[in-house]
Amino acid sequence: MSTDLSSATNLPYEMRPAEYQVNSFEVLEKICRENDVEVDDRNFRWLGIRTPEGELTNLGFLLSDENFHQLSIVEVNPENPKFLVGTHVCSGSVLSQVDDAVEFISTLYGKNLFALEEVYPLAAVREAVVNMFIHRDYESRVRPMIRIWPDRLEFINGTAGEVLDAEALKLGVSLSNNPHMANVFTKLHLSHTIGSGLMKIREAYANADVQPTAKALKNVFVLTLPNTKLDAPLHSDHRDNHQPMSLKVKEAMKLFSDSDELTRKEVDDALGVSQTRSSAIIRDLIAMDVIEKVGTGRNICYRRKN
């Protein structure tokens, strides 16, 4: 049964029936299975992916593989900001765009996420990227963008409705445009509780000499993450061999010394890290010839090499 249009227009954007009723959810279903979340119509309705009548909502469309709302990442030429050094566009499900954005930024500083963490706290970068999607006004004409400068990352998002002042932001107060999307991200362990994002970002910078800033304007929200190591060049080809090995990599090596074979999710849970982080750790261990990948599809696991 079709939802009455007059009542649908009074709903928040994410809860309105989508204009395009698509049925491609490979990314969503994969992440749901990895996190033991049931993939069925009843659960999709409970999460707000479908209306009570069974129609796909705008939230469902954003989570689908056919989502056309994109995120642009640009490298700015500091000598002439009007000219860009390079651009990258994240597309598809908002779930895959999160990993795509984090991994693209990491490639500018080295071949893995640990090289990025030497310059920007990885937890802060990931939280900032997630917030781009949860707090975005998808009806705004402001195109969301991540601008990469030598000394900072700028996360620029369009906003609508009430605007919080700087003091409210410091307290962790949140006015999420998409609370149901935030709930989905939380259920899939891709985000923290609503309102904790900026606090988590500040915690990640607790021991840094520079601190992130947040600015809320009339129609735009700008979050800036400062570079903690200004002499770290973009596009470095390799890590400094004198840099200490990441503690998480050391923990992972011990984990595999105690268990011959593990799945990526088991590594996630044991180390208490996101799937993006654990995937980077696994790639490092493979490159170090500590482990090898075995199996295919959903049966992929990682085995310690003798």
Side-chain angles (χ1 to χ4, degrees), residues 9-290:
T9 55
N10 294 323
L11 293 171
Y13 171 81
E14 64 173 351
M15 289 294 96
R16 295 178 208 157
E19 181 178 357
Y20 302 99
Q21 295 291 311
V22 300
N23 290 290
S24 178
F25 301 98
E26 289 187 14
V27 173
L28 173 61
E29 291 175 355
K30 177 178 180 291
I31 297 177
C32 282
R33 293 190 190 98
E34 290 175 347
N35 290 277
D36 298 320
V37 175
E38 290 292 330
V39 179
D40 55 34
D41 188 63
R42 179 182 176 185
N43 209 25
F44 275 20
R45 296 187 194 207
W46 178 69
L47 290 170
I49 295 171
R50 294 194 180 277
T51 69
E53 294 78 20
E55 291 182 285
L56 189 74
T57 61
N58 282 326
L59 170 61
F61 181 74
L62 293 168
L63 295 167
S64 77
D65 304 320
E66 288 150 355
N67 168 44
F68 53 64
H69 294 276
Q70 299 176 327
L71 170 65
S72 296
I73 306 176
V74 301
E75 294 177 65
V76 180
N77 180 344
E79 296 180 359
N80 191 340
K82 291 183 179 180
F83 293 94
L84 304 178
V85 176
T87 62
H88 177 75
V89 176
C90 304
S91 58
S93 170
V94 294
L95 298 170
S96 60
Q97 287 189 46
V98 171
D99 284 346
D100 186 10
V102 174
E103 290 183 7
F104 175 77
I105 294 172
S106 74
T107 62
L108 302 182
Y109 296 92
K111 294 184 178 180
N112 55 49
L113 295 174
F114 301 116
L116 171 64
E117 191 157 18
E118 292 166 8
V119 186
Y120 294 96
L122 179 58
V125 173
R126 184 170 182 82
E127 197 67 33
V129 171
V130 167
N131 282 351
M132 292 285 288
F133 297 98
I134 292 177
H135 295 285
R136 177 177 174 180
D137 174 12
Y138 288 92
E139 295 181 289
S140 171
R141 288 179 293 177
V142 176
R143 295 175 65 88
M145 179 183 301
I146 300 175
R147 288 163 58 90
I148 302 175
W149 298 78
D151 64 337
R152 66 191 185 277
L153 301 178
E154 291 179 342
F155 299 81
I156 303 169
N157 222 353
T159 62
E162 188 175 355
V163 176
L164 296 172
D165 61 25
E167 291 305 312
L169 292 170
K170 289 179 181 179
L171 292 173
V173 177
S174 176
L175 290 175
S176 174
N177 285 325
N178 308 288
H180 288 84
M181 180 186 290
N183 180 52
V184 171
F185 272 66
T186 301
K187 292 291 183 185
L188 298 179
H189 306 291
L190 301 174
S191 177
H192 298 287
T193 307
I194 297 175
S196 66
L198 288 176
M199 296 178 72
K200 292 291 183 182
I201 289 171
R202 289 193 171 90
E203 286 177 9
Y205 273 85
N207 298 319
D209 295 330
V210 288
Q211 294 298 311
T213 60
K215 184 184 297 183
L217 306 175
K218 184 177 181 181
N219 296 308
V220 178
F221 180 83
V222 182
L223 172 66
T224 301
L225 300 185
N227 185 326
T228 62
K229 186 179 178 183
L230 289 178
D231 59 345
L234 287 174
H235 304 290
S236 58
D237 294 326
H238 61 277
R239 297 182 65 192
D240 185 340
N241 291 331
H242 299 291
Q243 288 289 343
M245 184 183 296
S246 163
L247 290 177
K248 287 298 182 183
V249 172
K250 291 181 179 179
E251 289 180 29
M253 291 177 70
K254 184 178 187 308
L255 189 63
F256 277 99
S257 69
D258 296 334
S259 303
D260 289 337
E261 196 172 278
L262 295 167
T263 64
R264 187 198 53 73
K265 190 173 188 309
E266 287 173 329
V267 176
D268 289 357
D269 295 340
L271 299 182
V273 297
S274 69
Q275 66 181 59
T276 299
R277 181 77 183 278
S278 67
S279 296
I281 292 171
I282 287 170
R283 286 196 297 270
D284 275 4
L285 293 183
I286 291 174
M288 294 163 63
D289 208 33
V290 174

